[in-house]
Amino acid sequence: MADTLTITDNRTGKTYQVPIESGSIKAMDLRQIKAGADDFGLMTYDPAFQNTAACRSKITYIDGDKGILLYRGYPIDQLAEDSTFLETAYLILFGELPKAGELDEWTRKITMHTMLHENIKKFMEGFQYDAHPMGIFLSTVGALSTIYPDAKKIHDEDVRRLQILRLIAKVPSIAAYAYRHSIGRPYIYPDNDLSFTGNFLNMLFKMTELKYRPHPVLERALDILFILHADHEQNCSTSAMRGIGSSQADPYSALAGAAAALYGPLHGGANEAVLRMLQEIGSVRNVPAFIQKVKGGDGRLMGFGHRVYKSYDPRAKIIKKTADQVFSITGRNPLLDIALELERIALEDDYFVSRKLYPNVDFYSGLIYQAMGFPVDMFAVLFAMARTSGWLAQWDEMLRDPDQKIARPRQLYIGAARRDYTPMSAR
Ligand code: ACO
């Protein structure tokens, strides 16, 4: 029969027809497969969701074998070449490229919302002088939910839209304040004359000059990096955003959770881990020994490998090009030679080739950030800032989706069977 899967249960001899739609079967269709009346029904066991689609989405398309990444159908290389981060964020959130008037209005509204409540500044002052900026970032985003209790009305489209504007506008201010706090410099208020990314650089790096003027090449390079990080479908942090949002928590709380998921070294913390790895390797001549160590199971080659991409990450290609433009202004990052040698050896080595391990977006991004003057512990914060647009788009899509309910996976219980409590004297 067309578009169905026939399953024969050898325990009972029964056969079942399960419809196939969009290359998948519904896990709930397996529940009908029971060995007896009190059998719960068949479940799937899929730790780390390696083969489970948890939603239908119109936002981002990835073909991991061919190295294709599309936002709302537009190829990432075209957006990186021709779009801006704010325009791309609009596209991701609302599904279409904005017309001129729409982009102006969107930019104006974002610019209007960049200020942080003074209490939030005070809140941030409470962190230790050497607190990791990502810890400050995710805590402060969560704290915003106490400033905007109206955000709890998540079923009201206008309320959702307002929180989307607030969050996209305020995350650069939070990120910049976290950085300034960690180096003991005064906070810089937003400058509405500058672009989204230009203003971010202003809030980070302005000193005593009356007006901060970002270098146009560095401003554009950072904007491109933000475009590349804006969304990446159902990755770990986006799944956290959807999972937390599915309990109908407000978007600040959900986004704090998503940022926490991004913090880990296997996800958005990888660019920081790459830099620390390159520093530890220290010189091109130590690269072969390091590769041997990784192949022996001692550590991973950070910035390599991806759950979905089994070919060159298309974002890594664009980043390599952007790196050249940045280094022509800032001077070459001396760690680049180590990174290039690691990539050269890894792409020829059977261990990496047979496992289809290629550089991912984070292999080169840290080198650019470092050359631009960002400290290593700011890297994940930059990622979180850009990904905020994707998290919000995915959250909004989830709330509109009639198929979605509170996210609640099942488990296979493998613990002790029922037993009676043993008094302390008898243990
Ligand atoms: N270095 C060395 N070996 C690796 C690496 C790596 N970076 N990544 C995967 N492998 C090996 C594994 O040891 C495993 O080998 P085995 O089959 O012999 O056991 C095989 O490749 C498959 O790896 P898994 O861990 O099963 O792949 P998974 O899809 O679960 O992990 C991940 C993907 C987490 C990205 C992994 O490749 C990794 O740890 N990479 C380094 C961290 C990193 O760069 N993360 C950023 C990802 S991009 C992003 O989030 C923005």
Side-chain angles (χ1 to χ4, degrees), residues 265-267 270 294 300-307 351-352 355 357 360-362 383:
L266 296 190
H267 191 14
V294 169
R300 288 199 161 190
L301 177 49
M302 300 311 286
F304 257 68
H306 200 274
R307 171 61 59 77
Y351 175 94
F352 296 92
R355 289 171 177 77
L357 301 171
N360 60 50
V361 66
D362 280 331
F383 193 156

Side-chain angles (χ1 to χ4, degrees), residues 81-97:
E81 189 69 34
D82 298 321
S83 185
T84 61
F85 172 69
L86 269 196
E87 184 185 61
T88 299
Y90 183 102
L91 169 72
I92 286 174
L93 279 153
F94 307 115
E96 296 297 336
L97 286 168

Side-chain angles (χ1 to χ4, degrees), residues 341-358:
E341 182 65 359
L342 276 171
E343 181 185 334
R344 190 189 68 75
I345 297 191
L347 293 183
E348 284 174 356
D349 191 298
D350 187 55
Y351 175 94
F352 296 92
V353 175
S354 63
R355 289 171 177 77
K356 300 190 175 170
L357 301 171
Y358 293 86

